[in-house]
């Protein structure tokens, strides 16, 4: 009764009860390929970090969500709710990784630093309540992507860290959860507490776990009094998002895991323009460099390449000898982090590719296909294939009908 009464009050505050409108206009062509989930423990909430049409096309093409809520409250079905959708990426909660395997993902058209529309809050509330009834998901386990995403070691963070995304961070705050009819929330990060991760974004941690985290958001909620915080100028509606690197900031601080993406453009103070996938000297990104994110929710490649004269520690910090770190030599073959020592680590040749947080499966045979090696991740965008005589390639560049025998598969562990 208490839950129903709260939902009715919230509905009235948001402008009345909302009857969900479903659309199949963007059902993913990958729907039939995806494995069925064995369990559903979480509902993960996202913000698209882009406008409706390009976001919906991308979600549909890659099968990256189960639902997407447009600004008018229309709910688009993307991937069947019983199947795996690739929406969480590198994720962990209470030590459990790859939350795609146990979660439903809902994208909401908008940005992490702007409020949703009243229609979106109402539709999202009804959709979440419907899914909770179907799967028995607890209120606390309805969480924003920012809360469960984590980053593996990189050139700026020597350890695995929370803070890879700010996607949907407002969903964790008490005021927003009240709008969504959710009573419970997590009060601390269990993976940071257990030292599996470190805090990589202090501001995000405050928003997620402060008793009044909503006061830290750069926008006001429906019906709330206007606060001092203002929506940043860079969040103007539509188009690419433009940021400027300030003193003490790095490319990662601004772009997160899209720092080395082809869709991220760096404009230097002298006018030079370089895309993220072509930057080689990250220390050259001086104060005043503009960062243009064409798709702010895009991710760069998890593959890091060893340059001449560079030590692997500069790229992946403390993960150099980890059991889930893999080095793929430019001449072919690969070696696990645990098989190296200081001498052999330093002797790795330039051009060596490095993957952190991965497992290796295979080899592929006529009787053991990629979908049998890693059933829920064989075609994930961050799964890579090493075919005989070929360089390391992402799944999107592979003809899955012609994967040769002897191929090994690198997938998120």
């Amino acid at each position: 009764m208490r839950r129903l009464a709260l939902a009715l009050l919230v509905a009235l505050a948001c402008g009345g009860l909302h009857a969900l409108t479903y659309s199949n206009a963007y059902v993913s062509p990958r729907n039939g390929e995806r494995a069925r989930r064995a369990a559903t423990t979480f509902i993960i909430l996202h913000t698209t970090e882009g406008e409706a049409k390009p976001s919906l096309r991308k979600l549909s093409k890659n099968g990256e969500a189960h639902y997407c809520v447009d600004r008018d409250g229309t709910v688009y079905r993307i991937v069947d709710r019983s199947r795996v959708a690739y929406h969480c990426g590198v994720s962990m909660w209470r030590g459990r990784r790859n939350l795609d395997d146990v979660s439903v993902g809902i994208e909401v058209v908008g940005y992490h630093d702007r409020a949703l529309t009243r229609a979106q809050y109402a539709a999202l509330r009804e959709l979440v309540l419907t899914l909770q009834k179907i799967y028995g998901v607890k209120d606390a386990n309805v969480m924003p992507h920012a809360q469960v995403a984590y980053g593996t070691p990189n050139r700026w963070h020597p350890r695995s860290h929370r803070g890879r995304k700010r996607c949907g961070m407002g969903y964790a705050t008490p005021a927003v959860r009240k709008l969504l009819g959710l009573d419970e929330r997590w009060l601390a990060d269990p993976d940071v507490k257990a030292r599996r991760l470190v805090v990589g974004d202090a501001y995000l941690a405050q928003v997620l776990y402060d008793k009044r985290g909503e006061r830290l958001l750069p926008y006001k909620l429906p019906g709330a009094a206007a606060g001092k915080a203002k929506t940043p100028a860079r969040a103007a509606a539509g188009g690419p998002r433009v940021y400027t690197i300030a003193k003490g900031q790095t490319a990662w601080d601004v772009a997160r895991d899209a720092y080395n993406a082809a869709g991220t453009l760096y404009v230097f103070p002298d006018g030079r323009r370089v895309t993220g996938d072509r930057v080689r000297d990250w220390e050259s990104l001086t104060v005043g460099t503009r960062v243009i994110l064409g798709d702010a929710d895009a991710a760069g490649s998890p593959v890091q390449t060893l340059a001449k004269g560079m030590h692997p520690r500069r790229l992946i910090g403390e993960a150099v000898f980890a059991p889930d770190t893999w080095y793929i030599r430019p001449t072919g073959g690969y070696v696990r982090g645990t098989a190296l020592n200081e001498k052999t680590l330093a002797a790795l040749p330039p051009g060596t590719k490095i993957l952190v947080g991965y497992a290796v499966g295979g080899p592929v045979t006529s009787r053991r296909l990629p979908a049998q090696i890693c059933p829920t991740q064989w075609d994930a965008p961050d799964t890579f294939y090493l075919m005989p005589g070929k360089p390391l390639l992402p799944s999107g560049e592979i003809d899955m009908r012609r994967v040769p025998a002897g191929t090994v598969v690198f997938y998120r562990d």
Side-chain angles (χ1 to χ4, degrees):
M1 286 297 292
R2 178 174 174 271
R3 179 78 173 267
L4 177 61
L6 178 59
L8 288 171
L9 286 172
V10 173
L12 291 171
C14 285
L17 289 170
H18 186 280
L20 283 180
T21 302
Y22 290 96
S23 171
N24 294 322
Y26 288 92
V27 170
S28 176
R30 295 191 175 269
N31 189 58
E33 302 171 357
R34 297 297 166 79
R36 294 190 180 277
R37 288 192 312 281
T40 303
T41 308
F42 302 92
I43 297 172
I44 305 300
L45 308 179
H46 305 254
T47 41
T48 60
E49 304 300 314
E51 295 304 300
K53 286 186 178 180
S55 295
L56 282 163
R57 286 196 294 265
K58 176 174 175 284
L59 293 172
S60 177
K61 177 183 177 182
N62 301 325
E64 293 178 341
H66 295 94
Y67 300 93
C68 182
V69 182
D70 206 347
R71 287 197 167 93
D72 64 358
T74 299
V75 178
Y76 291 94
R77 294 185 178 101
I78 310 294
V79 171
D80 185 277
R81 67 171 185 249
S82 67
R83 297 181 182 272
V84 173
Y86 300 142
H87 59 98
C88 277
V90 188
S91 52
M92 178 192 299
W93 194 253
R94 300 181 75 181
R96 207 264 185 236
R97 300 190 191 189
N98 295 323
L99 298 191
D100 285 337
D101 292 345
V102 290
S103 67
V104 175
I106 304 174
E107 290 275 0
V108 183
V109 175
Y111 301 88
H112 70 273
D113 52 6
R114 296 185 223 169
L116 307 183
T117 66
R118 290 175 181 269
Q120 283 177 313
Y121 282 119
L124 182 58
R125 181 186 67 251
E126 295 301 316
L127 179 58
V128 166
L129 289 174
T130 298
L131 292 170
Q132 283 186 283
K133 289 176 182 177
I134 293 170
Y135 294 110
V137 176
K138 299 185 296 185
D139 279 6
N141 286 345
V142 180
M143 306 165 71
H145 188 197
Q147 198 163 18
V148 301
Y150 78 97
T152 52
N154 58 36
R155 65 186 69 237
W156 296 291
H157 292 278
R159 289 190 58 191
S160 292
H161 50 278
R162 192 75 80 189
R164 180 176 67 86
K165 294 276 189 180
R166 287 185 178 178
C167 171
M169 63 182 185
Y171 301 129
T173 65
V176 174
R177 296 183 76 77
K178 183 177 180 181
L179 286 172
L180 298 179
L182 300 169
D183 295 331
E184 299 175 338
R185 69 187 189 106
W186 290 92
L187 302 178
D189 189 324
D191 296 302
V192 171
K193 188 174 181 180
R195 299 185 179 180
R196 288 183 283 264
L197 302 175
V198 297
V199 174
D201 185 342
Y203 166 72
L204 174 64
Q206 272 192 293
V207 172
L208 296 178
Y209 301 110
D210 193 277
K211 290 182 180 179
R212 287 184 55 231
E214 61 273 1
R215 78 183 193 280
L216 300 169
L217 298 175
Y219 57 79
K220 65 177 183 177
L221 299 171
K228 293 182 179 180
K230 296 181 180 179
T231 301
R234 62 177 179 269
R241 315 252 287 170
V242 182
Y243 299 79
T244 300
I245 293 179
K247 185 178 180 180
Q249 284 189 320
T250 67
W252 187 89
D253 291 322
V254 174
R256 292 301 195 272
D257 58 351
Y259 77 92
N260 64 345
T264 298
L265 178 66
Y266 294 93
V267 182
F268 292 83
D270 63 6
R272 287 181 299 125
R273 302 163 74 89
V274 183
T275 54
D277 60 328
R278 296 183 178 274
V279 176
R280 294 293 176 263
D281 180 12
W282 291 99
E283 283 67 33
S284 68
L285 299 179
T286 57
V287 171
T289 297
R290 285 191 300 151
V291 185
I292 302 174
L293 301 177
D295 177 1
D297 199 36
S301 174
V303 180
Q304 305 203 54
T305 304
L306 197 61
K308 185 178 181 179
M310 181 180 288
H311 194 283
R313 273 202 180 85
R314 187 176 170 191
L315 290 178
I316 59 171
E318 298 176 13
V320 288
F321 297 128
D324 58 0
T325 294
W326 299 89
Y327 300 89
I328 299 91
R329 296 188 178 93
T331 54
Y334 57 94
V335 62
R336 197 175 201 158
T338 51
L340 298 177
N341 54 38
E342 291 291 350
K343 184 177 179 179
T344 53
L345 180 71
L348 289 170
T352 295
K353 305 292 185 183
I354 307 174
L355 287 169
V356 180
Y358 275 76
V360 173
V364 171
T365 68
S366 60
R367 295 186 177 183
R368 195 175 184 217
L369 302 176
Q372 295 167 303
I373 292 171
C374 45
T376 63
Q377 294 172 269
W378 62 275
D379 67 338
D382 57 358
T383 292
F384 293 84
Y385 287 77
L386 185 62
M387 298 182 287
K390 299 284 187 180
L392 188 70
L393 293 172
S395 64
E397 296 181 19
I398 300 292
D399 182 349
M400 291 300 176
R401 298 167 299 179
R402 295 181 175 86
V403 179
T407 297
V408 293
V409 187
F410 294 83
Y411 58 97
R412 289 288 185 185
D413 185 11

